[in-house]
Amino acid sequence: MARLEILKYPDPRLAKIAHPVANITENTVELINSMLETMYAAPGVGLAATQVGVLQRIVVMDVDHENPHKTIYKLINPVITHSEGSLVWEEGCLSVVDFTAEVRRAEQVQVVALDEHDKELKIEAEGLLAVALQHEIDHLDGKLFIDRISRLKRDLYARRRRKMLRSGTQPSEPQHVMI
Ligand code: NI
C-alpha cells in the first residue's frame, strides 16, 4: 500500500477516458488499497483511479462520515444502469482545489459494478452516495464537476487557478466534503 499523488486541475490526464479492467489481479487489489489510503488521508469521500494517473475504471468511496471505514465501496467497471429525478448539490473535488459549486445531477441512481473478488454488486443510491457515484464515474470519463457548471463560472475558476499556479499560492484547507 502506498499513498498516491492526486492530480489537480488543469492536469490534462484528468481529461482522459479510463479503460475497463479486463482482469482483476493482485495489482488491482493493491491499487484499490492504495487509493483508499490516499482518499482517507486527503481527506475525501471518493476517489477515481483517473485522479491518481491510472486510466482504469476503478472507484473507491466511503461517504459515511459518522462511521468511517464501515461502508467502503470498491467499484470496478461501474456503470449507471438507471437514474431518475434531479437534485442540486454543492460539490467539491480533491482534484479541483479551492473551489466548490452547485451541480445538478440525478437524485437516485442504480449502479452495477464488480468488487475486488470479481463479484457483481448492485447499488441503489440517493443523496450524497448518488452524487458521489455520478461524480466518480464522471472522473472515469475524463469529466470534472466544473465541466457541469456554466462556462462563465468555469472560466473564472480556470483563470483564478492559473494565477494561483503562477504565483505559487498554496491551496487553502478544504472546508467542504471532497468527492
Ligand atoms: Ni472528484
Side-chain angles (χ1 to χ4, degrees), residues 39-173:
M39 180 190 82
Y40 284 119
V45 302
L47 189 69
T50 308
Q51 292 177 276
V52 293
V54 178
L55 288 179
Q56 296 185 27
R57 301 190 78 84
I58 299 174
V59 160
V60 296
M61 294 191 316
D62 180 355
V63 301
D64 187 351
H65 301 284
E66 288 176 8
N67 306 290
H69 300 269
K70 201 179 142 208
T71 313
I72 298 172
Y73 290 97
K74 305 170 183 179
L75 307 179
I76 299 166
N77 301 339
V79 174
I80 296 172
T81 50
H82 181 77
S83 60
E84 65 179 79
S86 118
L87 60 63
V88 173
W89 198 280
E90 181 87 17
E91 294 188 23
C93 174
L94 293 171
S95 292
V96 181
V97 299
D98 268 327
F99 187 69
T100 62
E102 290 190 334
V103 180
R104 181 174 293 279
R105 297 193 187 266
E107 185 180 20
Q108 298 175 330
V109 292
Q110 184 184 78
V111 169
V112 173
L114 296 173
D115 71 7
E116 78 270 38
H117 310 294
D118 213 2
K119 208 181 102 204
E120 192 176 284
L121 302 169
K122 194 185 273 181
I123 305 164
E124 308 272 353
E126 55 180 30
L128 176 58
L129 183 59
V131 169
L133 282 163
Q134 294 170 84
H135 178 117
E136 301 309 337
I137 292 170
D138 263 2
H139 275 303
L140 302 181
D141 291 325
K143 275 201 199 104
L144 299 171
F145 78 90
I146 53 173
D147 295 316
R148 296 191 176 274
I149 62 177
S150 75
R151 177 182 236 171
L152 178 70
K153 283 189 197 157
R154 184 167 57 249
D155 287 352
L156 280 172
Y157 173 68
R159 209 170 305 153
R160 185 156 63 81
R161 175 71 177 140
R162 279 197 299 271
K163 216 166 153 185
M164 279 178 71
L165 287 168
R166 265 201 310 273
S167 64
T169 311
Q170 289 302 310
S172 44
E173 280 298 306

